Amino acid sequence: MMEQEFEKIYEQYKQQSEQQDQLEANQTNHDGKEEFVGVRKNNDGDLIAFKTNTGRELDYITALEEAKAGKIAHIDVFHKYGRDIIRSEPDGIKENNLDQLPEF
């Protein structure tokens, strides 16, 4: 086999994997809510924006409003420091904490 064929086959494999991942993500989220998959931080390390699994990028205020309205899965809003704050649901899984999500 030629090197190009190997690469072509591997690319097909990756595309199938990505499609399968997307299908599984959609199936695990039956209620149609979006999920945060990425974050943006300022120089102090504060979360200032969020990216959803549909590709939308939300500023903190918009994300807060949507989370309060129940449109974002696995997110809690609580009142601390005199203001509302977004955080991931406490589920004991460190990897899905908002602070652990990849930056965009």
Side-chain angles (χ1 to χ4, degrees):
M1 284 191 145
M2 303 289 287
E3 182 69 27
Q4 291 174 336
E5 287 182 58
F6 289 137
E7 288 188 30
K8 182 179 171 186
I9 290 169
Y10 183 71
E11 283 304 314
Q12 289 173 341
Y13 159 75
K14 277 190 358 186
Q15 287 175 355
Q16 288 172 346
S17 294
E18 289 169 5
Q19 290 169 350
Q20 186 62 35
D21 287 348
Q22 189 61 44
L23 283 173
E24 289 171 6
N26 290 341
Q27 288 171 353
T28 58
N29 199 3
H30 292 291
D31 53 13
K33 293 181 181 180
E34 289 179 88
E35 296 180 42
F36 292 149
V37 296
V39 296
R40 182 164 291 162
K41 299 178 182 179
N42 64 13
N43 290 338
D44 292 333
D46 299 320
L47 300 174
I48 60 169
F50 303 88
K51 186 172 192 168
T52 72
N53 58 327
T54 64
R56 292 192 312 139
E57 296 179 3
L58 309 176
D59 61 77
Y60 198 93
I61 299 298
T62 304
L64 187 60
E65 289 170 356
E66 292 200 12
K68 281 184 185 179
K71 296 179 180 177
I72 309 293
H74 312 299
I75 296 298
D76 284 339
V77 176
F78 70 107
H79 199 75
K80 192 172 183 181
Y81 314 117
R83 62 185 187 272
D84 289 332
I85 295 175
I86 297 171
R87 73 169 186 184
S88 53
E89 287 180 337
D91 58 8
I93 303 170
K94 185 177 179 183
E95 291 75 27
N96 70 6
N97 290 351
L98 294 176
D99 215 31
Q100 300 295 316
L101 293 177
E103 292 193 49
F104 68 94

